[in-house]
Amino acid sequence: MVWLQRAIVAGVAAALLAGAGVTLYVQRAFPALDGRIVLDGLREGVRVQRDAADVTHIRAQSAQDAWFAMGYVHAQERTWQLEFNRRVMHGELSEVFGPATLETDKLMRALDIMGHARKQYAGLPAHARDALQAYSQGIHAFHQNLPQALPPEFHVLGVKPGGTTGAVWEPEDSVAWALMMALDLGGNWGNEFARLSVARTLDTGRLWQLMPPYPGEPPAASADLASLYRQLGIYRDAQAPSAPADSGGEKPVAPGAGPQEAAGGVFSHEISQGMLAWAQDLTRNAGTSEGKGSNNWVLAGSRTVSGKPLLANDPHLGLSAPAIWYFARLQAPAGAAADGTPIGAIDVVGATLPGLPFVVLGRTGSVAWGFTNTGPDVQDLYLEQINPADPAQYRTPDGWRPFTLRTETIRVKGQPDVVLPLRATRHGPVLSDVQKSHAEVLDLRKYVLALRWSALDADNQTVLAGLQSNQAQSVDALFQALEPYHSPMQSVVAADVQGNIRFKAMGKVPVRHADNDIRGIAPSPGWDARYDWQGWLPSAQTPEDDGRSGWVATANQRITAPGYAHYLTQDWVLPYRHDRIAQLIAATPRHDAAGMQAIQADALSLATQRLLPHLRKAAPQHPLAPAVQALLRDFDGVMDASRAAPLVFSAWADELVRGVIAPRVGDNRFKATYGKRDYRAALEGILERNDAWWCQPLSCADQSAAALARALDRLQAAHGADPARWRWGDAHPALSSHRPLGNVALLAPYFDVSVPSPGDAYTVNVGQYNAGDAKNPFVNRHAASLRAVYDLADLEQSRFIYQTGQSGLVFSPRYRDMRATWVQADYRHLQREPAHMRHDLRLVPAP
């Protein structure tokens, strides 16, 4: 009994000590929000305050100190986010996560994100390089002083900030992060490859039925793609090897230094499997902008209650925890760069991206602006023919030319390093060296696919445009500041206190040859000069609108007016969101800020309304069918989180797509192309034409009924036998997932941020899901990554919200404190001069 008592006492004592240690660690992990911190690198003191809306206000005596402080604050609040993003773009994830992320690392190395970023950084004017250097120094200053414990991700994974070199964030990394945003938003190579893949089993006419052009337009390509690819013999014989044994591919060498155990200790398997799924999704969907859109609109004073403009913006991006955005105000007087270049006064508030030192979306004292993705075709895939006599050469208009070769070494935790030989052509990197899907389709002994992508060009100065925008005080000055903007092209709306409004597409778009009969819609023969780009569309000729009609709205729909002289793309987003915004604007003669917020909250799906009559006609022999049809009779297409009908509709549409499209293109090809691409336009056409070829061997009506029966089986298994108790929000939570600890079942409830949500891909209040995800097909993963409304009658009445919280520290009450407000489409104040501050921190230069 004595020994038992001693053991109990010892156990209790150990638990208390462990609890005390955890408590102490948690306390030490919180950033200093008040007090005084001495830092090397500052010129003068900087005041960092947090207001009641948790917006961070940085007041400095020079722009350089403001950018330095922004770097310090981003490191305070989002250290792990910076580290993870740095590893993504450097292709260094596998050093932490092992082979699970190798495919992502290989893709980043093949694209040479960092190599191009260094060239672009070198081409920036000196004052822009100074800004990125100051920001980098601020991040380094945080790590050099480290007044707080590192977040738990570093300890769980055994990661050292900055890796083996300690380069936690260099100036070139900010340029690279801008490139990563261009990769996320500015790609269509995935659409091109999908067309090449399905053209193996469909003729060109059926291809355009599966992937239709924009409503009301003919296909942009006049070439018979299916016939062209058959004649060239590009496809891999299922029985043949994908490439000769000596054509490349990674080669293991001696193990790298570092621990050999899997990342995350006891959670290693879950982390590895989760990161594998994430990496596969990233590489599979790189080069596609499906589901990545935004809304913005601006009203002239003639359409508002106040007589001054109103502007709204809600960019739709992948949801993550912490959020991609961080709201801050930067203030500094006019000054000069190190080379004497004048720097205007800065006083701007809005959404920053950790990794960049400026406000990306927001307002100054006199002008507000918002972005949506324009989505022009700035990526072309080229079929490069390999010389049968010399595989080291490829065909050009001038004969055979050797591939450009380089080698990358990737450290893989727990395994030997991988030496990766990479090729490039005159068009760009050979993606077939790293994209497994290419090897499954192409005969790589004869052809490879190379990428021409505008964002990789050395003249990309997007970060310069961002820096300059923060000094603008009028619509004219804003668009002049944005002139260097390059990639990804954005549809910018702006308004100022003088009453001016404007829309213009800002960025670089290639001009294609008049004889180009493919126009970048699908991979083109790389040896034919007519498929090469012919220069760039001048900035003066990109689409624009001065708002004379009283309003302008963009939602990734076609933004070119009838008769526009230039080709931008065929892959516009279906116009449902734009049309709904237009309906709501037209419904009220004069709007106020509350009306703008109501539009952002709207969950009526015009796309659902279009297909709903077909669903109502479906009458399967299923015990739940009568109850479900009763629910559908009153369904108006509003994708409300608390209703059952949106869930029934979504499951039916998913099953119907699987039933009519997968048999025609083949299961493997369907699985490779379905998911974020939902084939909604194809389904609309099939049902409205009553297309017997697609619906065979059944009628389209029978296919619809069978799809509903399968959907009801699925829903009954997942949600019970009473359809009245089903809820769209239960199946469709907005999930902001943490990388990588959201993959660990025990940790996900703490690190992920989830809330039942309304909407679908076609509602203004968007809720994009990946129906190809077998486990969570309806989870909302792409939504309004922020919402903002600006009232030019009183800019201090501006509002904002996003889906998590400002802090990236999971222990913090500020990690998820915006979640409920966001899903209810409510807002916080976005003010330059709030009534009071909650926190006050002084950053002081070292003596």
Side-chain angles (χ1 to χ4, degrees), residues 370-583:
F371 288 4
T372 69
N373 201 30
T374 309
D377 187 349
V378 296
Q379 292 180 341
D380 278 1
L381 288 178
Y382 288 92
L383 287 160
E384 308 287 20
Q385 186 175 12
I386 295 174
N387 188 346
D390 184 356
Q393 295 182 333
Y394 69 100
R395 185 180 174 188
T396 77
D398 303 316
W400 301 107
R401 181 187 299 185
F403 288 98
T404 301
L405 303 175
R406 62 186 174 88
T407 300
E408 294 277 345
T409 300
I410 302 174
R411 294 167 57 87
V412 183
K413 190 171 187 178
Q415 292 193 4
D417 292 351
V418 168
V419 174
L420 183 66
L422 295 168
R423 295 174 288 182
T425 73
R426 65 194 186 93
H427 296 116
V430 173
L431 292 185
S432 303
D433 286 343
V434 294
Q435 292 276 79
K436 286 185 175 180
S437 57
H438 294 185
E440 294 165 359
V441 175
L442 290 173
D443 186 344
L444 296 183
R445 299 168 302 173
K446 299 179 181 178
Y447 298 95
V448 295
L449 283 173
L451 173 69
R452 175 74 173 97
W453 178 25
S454 62
L456 298 180
D457 288 5
D459 66 343
N460 185 346
Q461 296 192 342
T462 296
V463 293
L464 173 61
L467 290 164
Q468 293 180 165
S469 70
N470 286 194
Q471 302 167 38
Q473 295 296 329
S474 68
V475 165
D476 286 343
L478 176 72
F479 282 101
Q480 183 177 355
L482 291 174
E483 271 300 311
Y485 193 95
H486 191 292
S487 300
M489 186 179 230
Q490 295 292 290
S491 296
V492 183
V493 297
D496 63 28
V497 296
Q498 302 304 316
N500 302 299
I501 70 169
R502 190 181 307 167
F503 149 74
K504 186 170 178 62
M506 303 299 297
K508 298 291 283 291
V509 180
V511 174
R512 291 175 174 83
H513 197 283
D515 293 334
N516 184 337
D517 58 356
I518 297 178
R519 301 178 91 179
I521 290 298
S524 305
W527 57 92
D528 191 332
R530 64 181 163 143
Y531 298 116
D532 291 342
W533 293 354
Q534 305 299 305
W536 302 98
L537 183 64
S539 175
Q541 297 178 33
T542 63
E544 59 184 319
D545 189 329
D546 62 5
R548 292 182 186 179
S549 66
W551 63 277
V552 184
T554 77
N556 319 113
Q557 85 289 356
R558 183 183 64 191
I559 57 168
T560 55
Y564 181 71
H566 307 287
Y567 172 74
L568 299 186
T569 186
Q570 176 180 282
D571 292 328
W572 307 106
V573 171
L574 292 173
Y576 291 116
R577 282 186 287 111
H578 173 266
D579 291 350
R580 180 58 179 162
I581 293 167
Q583 286 180 357

Side-chain angles (χ1 to χ4, degrees), residues 281-300:
D281 183 70
L282 187 151
T283 53
R284 171 189 168 190
N285 292 298
T288 177
S289 57
E290 298 283 342
K292 302 167 185 174
S294 306
N295 304 317
N296 65 15
W297 63 93
V298 59
L299 306 185

Side-chain angles (χ1 to χ4, degrees), residues 38-202:
V38 178
L39 298 174
D40 287 323
L42 278 175
R43 301 180 180 186
E44 299 181 68
V46 177
R47 196 170 187 179
V48 179
Q49 297 174 299
R50 271 85 170 179
D51 67 19
D54 205 19
V55 175
T56 299
H57 295 250
I58 295 172
R59 293 179 170 89
Q61 299 306 306
S62 68
Q64 291 86 349
D65 279 352
W67 295 321
F68 179 102
M70 189 76 266
Y72 187 86
V73 167
H74 279 163
Q76 268 193 316
E77 302 270 35
R78 303 290 184 87
T79 313
W80 173 250
Q81 185 178 37
L82 287 169
E83 175 67 20
F84 186 83
N85 291 345
R86 186 191 65 79
R87 287 186 175 275
V88 171
M89 61 198 188
H90 279 254
E92 295 178 354
L93 288 171
S94 300
E95 188 174 340
V96 175
F97 301 107
T101 53
L102 184 56
E103 296 307 308
T104 296
D105 285 347
K106 289 160 62 177
L107 177 61
M108 294 304 126
R109 300 294 183 96
L111 293 173
D112 196 17
I113 294 293
M114 290 311 305
H116 290 291
R118 294 183 185 100
K119 293 176 183 176
Q120 292 173 7
Y121 173 76
L124 290 171
H127 62 278
R129 295 198 304 271
D130 287 348
L132 301 187
Q133 289 165 7
Y135 178 76
S136 169
Q137 289 165 2
I139 296 174
H140 277 272
F142 169 80
H143 286 278
Q144 288 162 1
N145 289 272
L146 209 58
Q148 64 196 65
L150 287 170
E153 294 92 335
F154 290 94
H155 301 292
V156 171
L157 298 168
V159 175
K160 177 183 176 183
T164 55
T165 66
V168 289
W169 195 270
E170 300 308 302
E172 299 91 334
D173 289 334
S174 291
V175 180
W177 191 237
L179 277 178
M180 292 300 295
M181 294 305 298
L183 178 63
D184 188 45
L185 294 172
N188 81 326
W189 92 60
N191 285 341
E192 293 185 35
F193 182 73
R195 291 187 179 104
L196 177 143
S197 179
V198 298
R200 185 172 190 175
T201 54
L202 298 180

